[in-house]
Amino acid sequence: MPLTAKFELDAGSRTFATGLLPELIAALRDADPGDLIAVVSTEASVGVDLDAWCRFTHNSLVDTSVEDGRNRWVVRCGEAPRHADTQRPVGSRLWLYTNFDCNLRCDYCCVRSSPKAPRRALGLERVRRIAVEAAELGVGEIFVTGGEPFLLGDIGEILSACAAAAPTTVLTNGLLFAGRRLEALRALPRDRLSLQISVDSPTSERHDRHRGKGTWARAWKGIERARIEGFRVRLAATVSTDTEAEEFRRFLDRRQIAEQDRVIRHIALRGLAEQGIALARADLIPEITVTAEGVYWHPVGAEDGDLFVTADIFPLAEAFAAVRRAFAQEHAHQHRLATIFNCA
Ligand code: SF4
């Protein structure tokens, strides 16, 4: 589905050489940072110039589509918000999407998970091999996510293999800690495994609106259960605005949740989300992400073509090298453009 933009600029057959640029600049003047501007043109060559222009001007090309012979590009006005951890070396963290099905269907899920989504399981044997090779590569942290990982019958073995390789965090909605799943959790090492459980708001209203009725209260039960079992629990909120982020921060302060046990991030405009921060590949420092389909640039778009790197997971060293090569090339490209732009 094409991205909805705040401004639509119909360029007809104009290109950068024939009058498109002044119109684009005029549209930018009316836009605020973060706004999306769509450029529609019959000229496919506009895409190359638009991509280069975005890199010059610190805007981002976040979407490309073709419909009825007309090309449509979406540009996000301004740079993506900076994160404090941009210095983290590529390959120090490894993300595994164990599956894509989920017991919930959150309306902003970045990988379109739901009870009806096909499982697309990575599988225990592949996870075991990845864990061994990740340890050899010096991976410092493994993140296990989905979908809902606790839907898997062998999630205990999967987490155990990961935790043996590196300190591991499993991202979960926290709703399934009962019966055999609770038994699987109980058997896992407390000193090597943490849980990251989603809670979006201080009260149930906003959380339940996005994730389903009653899920806020059930998530808290999951958090309490995991704590009783002796696991470190990190709380992760997905928010729409800075105000919501601040409100949640104050809530965590009142509960005396330590800084290292909180994650607050904005909704990303990917997957099912209809609003959020539009993130292009150039905005994201790679965090190598493995799914059943292959290796991706970052977990926020683990089924999106623009973040796909290679279908070959093994050897993992080569997959890591492919991501690093692509990152180095894209950095070099940005640097080259910056040099060309130098007027004196
Ligand atoms: S956001 Fe998480 S809990 Fe919600 S549907 Fe997606 S994977 Fe499931």
Side-chain angles (χ1 to χ4, degrees):
M1 195 174 58
L3 279 184
T4 307
K6 188 168 178 185
F7 302 95
E8 290 278 333
L9 177 57
D10 190 342
S13 60
R14 289 187 298 289
T15 65
F16 274 66
T18 58
L20 172 58
L21 189 55
E23 287 184 52
L24 192 52
I25 291 170
L28 270 179
R29 280 204 193 100
D30 292 335
D32 294 317
D35 281 350
L36 299 181
I37 301 172
V39 179
V40 181
S41 169
T42 53
E43 288 294 323
S45 65
V46 166
V48 177
D49 290 336
L50 199 54
D51 184 35
W53 178 83
C54 282
R55 289 169 189 259
F56 272 127
T57 54
H58 298 289
N59 298 292
S60 286
L61 183 59
V62 294
D63 193 43
T64 304
S65 58
V66 183
E67 209 174 306
D68 299 331
R70 285 163 67 78
N71 306 278
R72 185 173 181 272
W73 301 272
V74 180
V75 174
R76 193 204 51 240
C77 177
E79 293 183 75
R82 289 268 165 255
H83 298 292
D85 46 10
T86 51
Q87 298 308 315
R88 190 186 296 129
V90 175
S92 58
R93 290 174 152 203
L94 176 63
W95 288 80
L96 304 183
Y97 267 82
T98 50
N99 56 304
F100 282 86
D101 54 331
C102 187
N103 49 325
L104 300 185
R105 187 193 179 282
C106 305
D107 63 7
Y108 53 64
C109 184
C110 66
V111 289
R112 304 177 181 85
S113 290
S114 75
K116 289 188 179 160
R119 173 152 286 183
R120 296 157 56 200
L122 193 49
L124 179 58
E125 286 319 307
R126 275 196 288 198
V127 171
R128 282 187 170 139
R129 182 170 169 194
I130 290 168
V132 168
E133 295 187 20
E136 289 165 4
L137 289 168
V139 167
E141 282 179 279
I142 297 176
F143 294 84
V144 174
T145 189
E148 172 49 54
F150 280 89
L151 283 176
L152 300 175
D154 53 5
I155 188 60
E157 288 98 320
I158 286 174
L159 293 175
S160 181
C162 293
T168 295
T169 299
V170 57
L171 280 66
T172 169
N173 54 43
L175 266 56
L176 297 176
F177 303 150
R180 62 183 168 80
R181 293 178 175 115
L182 181 57
E183 290 310 316
L185 185 64
R186 279 189 176 132
L188 291 164
R190 276 63 173 167
D191 60 333
R192 301 282 286 180
L193 181 77
S194 305
L195 283 81
Q196 182 169 311
I197 300 182
S198 308
V199 183
D200 290 346
S201 49
T203 59
S204 61
E205 194 196 344
R206 201 169 59 240
H207 178 107
D208 285 6
R209 195 168 62 237
H210 287 297
R211 294 176 173 267
K213 198 166 182 305
T215 54
W216 186 86
R218 291 172 64 200
W220 277 108
K221 279 191 185 152
I223 291 163
E224 291 312 318
R225 171 48 58 197
R227 284 182 176 149
I228 288 167
E229 296 297 336
F231 289 95
R232 176 183 167 194
V233 177
R234 195 177 299 140
L235 300 184
T238 307
V239 298
S240 303
T241 63
D242 288 342
T243 309
E244 288 178 10
E246 189 49 38
E247 186 190 22
F248 196 71
R249 220 168 270 126
R250 284 200 303 271
F251 167 73
L252 296 178
D253 288 343
R254 285 196 298 277
R255 293 201 160 217
Q256 298 184 315
I257 305 291
E259 201 59 45
Q260 63 271 23
D261 289 334
R262 355 172 141 181
V263 179
I264 303 177
R265 66 233 156 158
H266 281 250
I267 294 172
L269 190 51
R270 294 221 167 226
L272 294 174
E274 291 180 353
Q275 292 186 328
I277 298 180
L279 292 166
R281 177 161 155 150
D283 299 324
L284 298 162
I285 303 287
E287 295 206 9
I288 299 169
T289 301
V290 181
T291 78
E293 281 81 34
V295 179
Y296 285 78
W297 187 263
H298 196 278
V300 80
E303 55 171 18
D304 296 341
D306 63 327
L307 297 187
F308 180 72
V309 179
T310 172
D312 299 324
I313 300 171
F314 301 113
L316 197 62
E318 184 43 44
F320 274 42
V323 176
R324 289 190 180 115
R325 266 197 310 273
F327 188 45
Q329 276 164 6
E330 290 179 22
H331 248 309
H333 181 53
Q334 284 176 343
H335 180 68
R336 225 171 19 248
L337 286 167
T339 307
I340 292 164
F341 195 58
N342 227 346
C343 298

